[in-house]
Amino acid sequence: MEFTLVDLGGDAFAYRNEDNNKLLAEITWTILGEVMVMDHTFVAQELRGQKVAKQLLDCAAQYARENDFKMEPVCSYVVTAFERYKEYNDVKN
């Protein structure tokens, strides 16, 4: 699945996948200094169970690595993923 980086204004950003203006998947964050505060993850019902949320987080983590940011988990999915997967240790705040 492909995601588009979206500037939400101010210091807020998202990776999204939409189909005919219907939001299918999204992860959002706000940049505070050198930290991406991960505040929301959404996956449409029809895509759940297909690891789409992890794909979104992988994209956000790659963005953090490329831009020398750390990530602070606020949304429950990112908190759980940070506990479960060691591959994000380098971007944890």
Side-chain angles (χ1 to χ4, degrees):
M1 177 169 280
E2 292 193 23
F3 304 106
T4 303
L5 179 63
V6 179
D7 184 339
L8 300 175
D11 293 324
F13 296 87
Y15 274 111
R16 286 185 179 158
N17 180 287
E18 296 177 295
D19 185 34
N20 292 323
N21 292 326
K22 179 183 178 194
L23 182 62
L24 297 177
E26 174 182 68
I27 192 166
T28 64
W29 66 90
T30 301
I31 296 177
L32 295 175
E34 302 199 6
V35 177
M36 295 166 59
V37 179
M38 309 306 296
D39 54 20
H40 178 71
T41 305
F42 166 78
V43 176
Q45 186 67 38
E46 62 266 27
L47 294 175
R48 292 185 185 166
Q50 300 178 39
K51 300 191 182 234
V52 173
K54 185 165 185 325
Q55 292 174 40
L56 284 163
L57 182 54
D58 288 346
C59 285
Q62 187 58 38
Y63 180 89
R65 290 176 184 111
E66 291 171 358
N67 293 282
D68 295 320
F69 288 121
K70 294 293 184 181
M71 299 171 80
E72 180 70 34
V74 174
C75 94
S76 59
Y77 174 77
V78 179
V79 168
T80 300
F82 273 21
E83 292 171 357
R84 183 175 295 157
Y85 304 110
K86 302 299 179 208
E87 66 201 71
Y88 303 115
N89 285 350
D90 64 318
V91 293
K92 287 182 183 178
N93 187 30

